[in-house]
Amino acid sequence: MGEILKLYHAGFEEIPAPSVHFGRKNADFGQGFYTTAQAEFAKRWARIRKGQDTVLNIYELDLEGLNVHRFARDENWFGYIYANRSHQPDTLKEADVIIGPIANDTIYDTFGIITSGFLTPPQAMKLLMAGPAYEQIVIKTEKAAGQLHFAGSEILDPQDVQRYRQTVAAEEAEYQKTLAELLDTI
């Protein structure tokens, strides 16, 4: 047995056997099953849907024998996300698992500015470093999914989900303020 990661995924049902083929190919790290090792982060992005429970799925991932690619919040990370979101071929097809920061809204907000040449690469990276950094862990292959073991789930209280959503809203407001201040310096 190798390194074991405890992972979380919020949704509206228990997902004991997640599919790596579900999801957008142009997501941050391409198609796969998105999780995080941060339970609080998973809860912050949980939603409420009328008539359904909000479920926090809990997993354990054995990394032994898996090709794991780790990103830092840097130019390589940005380049990979930019390529995926631009529908370019996945340059990390051999990776079973990708671990790295979640792209904040800066990437969406600056794509046009960056591609227009208005910002230099160092200026763009300055903007991309704004805001909190949370980590996502993406299960990309069937091999990795075979080493992802369902450990259980918990139903989240709707009032707690509302409080978590308020926390996210406050973070987003602070992020927008920081982004505006950074844009004034460029």
Side-chain angles (χ1 to χ4, degrees), residues 32-109:
F33 183 66
Y34 282 71
T35 66
T36 181
Q38 300 163 316
E40 290 298 305
F41 177 73
K43 291 176 183 179
R44 285 181 184 188
W45 289 97
R47 302 275 194 255
I48 295 174
R49 186 180 287 168
K50 188 175 181 166
Q52 291 187 290
D53 289 328
T54 302
V55 179
L56 182 67
N57 290 283
I58 305 163
Y59 303 93
E60 291 179 349
L61 176 64
D62 182 354
L63 295 179
E64 185 172 350
L66 296 179
N67 182 343
V68 178
H69 186 88
R70 296 177 191 261
F71 277 109
R73 200 173 181 187
D74 61 14
E75 291 87 1
N76 292 326
W77 161 77
F78 170 71
Y80 185 71
I81 291 173
Y82 184 87
N84 284 335
R85 291 193 177 172
S86 301
H87 303 279
Q88 296 175 23
D90 187 349
T91 59
L92 292 175
K93 284 186 178 189
E94 76 286 352
D96 296 305
V97 176
I98 298 180
I99 301 173
I102 291 172
N104 58 32
D105 287 341
T106 313
I107 284 189
Y108 294 113
D109 296 343

Side-chain angles (χ1 to χ4, degrees), residues 19 25 35 42 49 51-53 60 62-63 77 95 101 109-110 118 126 148 173 175-176 182 186:
S19 171
K25 291 183 179 181
T35 66
R49 186 180 287 168
Q52 291 187 290
D53 289 328
E60 291 179 349
D62 182 354
L63 295 179
W77 161 77
D109 296 343
T110 58
F118 180 73
K126 186 176 180 181
L148 182 69
Y175 165 76
Q176 291 298 328
L182 285 172
I186 292 180

Side-chain angles (χ1 to χ4, degrees), residues 108-129:
Y108 294 113
D109 296 343
T110 58
F111 266 169
I113 302 170
I114 292 167
T115 58
S116 71
F118 180 73
L119 293 177
T120 64
Q123 290 170 323
M125 280 308 301
K126 186 176 180 181
L127 291 179
L128 293 168
M129 298 303 285

